[in-house]
Amino acid sequence: MTTPRTHTAVAFVGARQPLEAVRVPTAAPEDDEILIRSQFTASTPLDLHRADGGLLMQPGAIFGSTTAGVVEATGPGVSGRLAVGDRVFGWAFQKPQYRAHQEYVTAPEWMFGKIPENISPEEAATVPENLITIFNTMATDLGLPTPWPKPEDHVPDRADDPVLVWGAASSVGQSALQLLRWYGYRRVLATASPSHHQYLRGLGAAACFDYRDPDVANKVLAAASEIHGGKRGGVGGEAAVPFIIDCIGSRDGSMRPILEKNIARPGSVVAVMLPVILTHASTEQVPEYEMDAPKVARELLGPEAESSGVTVKGILPALLEMGVVKPQRFRIVEGGSILEREENALREMREGVCGVKLVWRTSDQ
Ligand SMILES: NC(=O)c1ccc[n+]([C@@H]2O[C@H](COP(=O)([O-])OP(=O)(O)OC[C@H]3O[C@@H](n4cnc5c(N)ncnc54)[C@H](OP(=O)(O)O)[C@@H]3O)[C@@H](O)[C@H]2O)c1
C-alpha cells in the first residue's frame, strides 16, 4: 500500500488572524480531472476581503482561485485536450482541492486551458479571474452580446453608446477596456489616476478622467453628451451613459459618485463588482462589506438605478493567444514559504495596490 500524498496549502483560521500552513491530501485525479503542480497564483482583493473580513470563509478553508502550473496526471475521463507536461492556467474554487493557494490543485480539465507559448506562467496568472469576471459582467449584467467565436464583421448595435468603466486601472477595469474594444465598443470612458491615463488609452479607453477630481461626474457626463451630439443627458431625457461598470464596488469611492452625481440616470445599467465595500480593510481598520449592491444603491439614491453582482463564464487561452487581452502589469511578491508569500501579498493590499497585480510562487521548487 502506498502512503497517500500530501502537500502544503494556506488556510483561513479566523478574520484578521494569521493564516496557517496546513498539510492536506493531494487528490488523485478522477473522471475528467487533472492534477496540476502549481507554480504561480495571483492575489486579488477578494483574498483580503476573506482574510480580514472573513467573507464567505469557514475556519480551515483554503484560499485562492487562479492557478498557473504544469499537468502532472490526468483522470481516466479527460478529453485529451490537456496532457501530462502541459503548462496550464485557469480559475477554480468550488471545492477545497480546486483552490489555488496550495502546491497541488486537482480540478476538472474544462476549467483549465493551455498557456500560450509566448506567455510565462507568472504572466498567465494575472489573467483568469478578472477576465472571466468581466466577460460575465458584459454578457449577463449589461446584456451586451459576446458572440463566440466572434464573426469577423461583428459590429455591436450599440457600438457608439458610451460605456463607463469606473476604476479602469484595477485588474477588472483593464480587462474590461480590452474586451469592450475587441467586441467593437468605440466610446469607452474610463476613470483612473492620471498616471495611468496614457496606458489605459492604449488598452481601449476613448477618454480618461481622474476619479479624485471633484468635478469628475460633470466631465464624464459632458463627454457622453458630446458623443450623442448633445442630444442626451438633459434632465428627464435619455441616459447619457447607458452602461456603467463599477470595477471598484466601494459605496463611497465609486457607487456614491456614480449614483448621487447622476452619471447613472433612469435607463442606465450599473454593474457593480461585489462585495460592496462599506469600510476598506487597512492595518488598523476592520473591513465591512455588503453583498446586496441594489440595497446599497437604494440607500444612496432610491430604487432608480439597477445594479447587480457577477457570476462566471470563460474563454481564456484563445483571447490571450490572439492578443485580445495582454497579461497585466504585475509584481512578484517574495517570501520564504507559500504562507509568507501570501501574508506579504495581503499586507501589500492592506497598504494599497496601484495598477499592478500581485503574483507569487505557490511552490518552493
Ligand atoms: N479581480 C477579480 O476578478 C474580481 C472579481 C469579482 C469582484 N472583484 C471585486 O472588484 C474589486 C476590484 O478588484 P480588482 O482585482 O480589479 O482590484 P485591484 O486591481 O486591486 O484595484 C486596484 C485599483 O483600484 C483603483 N481604485 C481604488 N479606489 C478607486 C476609486 N474609488 N475609484 C476608481 N478607482 C479606484 C486604483 O486605481 P488608481 O491606481 O487609478 O488610483 C487601483 O489601481 C474588488 O473589490 C474585488 O473584490 C474582483
Side-chain angles (χ1 to χ4, degrees), residues 44-46 49 129-130 133 166-173 191-193 196 211-212 247-250 253-254 273-275 277 310 353-357:
T44 77
L46 184 59
H49 305 332
E129 191 152 3
N130 14 289
T133 297
W166 186 285
S170 69
S171 4
V172 175
T191 72
S193 291
H196 302 308
Y211 62 87
R212 292 188 186 87
C247 299
I248 304 303
S250 159
S254 56
M273 293 302 133
L274 293 179
I277 301 161
V310 294
V353 174
C354 179
V356 290
K357 196 95 180 150

Side-chain angles (χ1 to χ4, degrees), residues 179-202:
L179 202 62
L180 285 163
R181 172 170 66 184
W182 188 62
Y183 273 117
Y185 295 90
R186 299 184 273 237
R187 311 294 194 147
V188 179
L189 309 176
T191 72
S193 291
S195 60
H196 302 308
H197 287 188
Q198 193 183 351
Y199 180 72
L200 298 175
R201 278 195 205 95

Side-chain angles (χ1 to χ4, degrees), residues 10 18 54 85 87 94 98 148 167 199 226 231 245 255 327:
V10 182
R87 301 183 320 139
Q94 293 83 345
Y98 298 3
W148 183 266
Y199 180 72
E226 201 179 309
K231 292 194 195 104
I245 306 176
M255 290 184 73

Side-chain angles (χ1 to χ4, degrees), residues 149-269:
K150 183 177 70 114
E152 266 182 33
D153 57 354
H154 175 73
V155 179
D157 288 347
R158 306 194 66 173
D160 287 315
D161 272 353
V163 181
L164 174 63
V165 178
W166 186 285
S170 69
S171 4
V172 175
Q174 292 178 45
S175 295
L177 295 183
Q178 295 175 83
L179 202 62
L180 285 163
R181 172 170 66 184
W182 188 62
Y183 273 117
Y185 295 90
R186 299 184 273 237
R187 311 294 194 147
V188 179
L189 309 176
T191 72
S193 291
S195 60
H196 302 308
H197 287 188
Q198 193 183 351
Y199 180 72
L200 298 175
R201 278 195 205 95
L203 295 185
C208 296
F209 305 86
D210 179 0
Y211 62 87
R212 292 188 186 87
D213 177 347
D215 204 27
V216 60
N218 286 331
K219 289 181 178 164
V220 168
L221 284 168
S225 182
E226 201 179 309
I227 290 168
H228 297 296
K231 292 194 195 104
R232 285 199 205 169
V235 176
E238 261 186 287
V241 191
F243 301 110
I244 300 172
I245 306 176
D246 174 358
C247 299
I248 304 303
S250 159
R251 178 187 56 192
D252 298 321
S254 56
M255 290 184 73
R256 193 180 287 285
I258 289 168
L259 297 175
E260 282 190 351
K261 298 203 172 158
N262 287 330
I263 299 177
R265 295 267 176 91
S268 300
V269 183

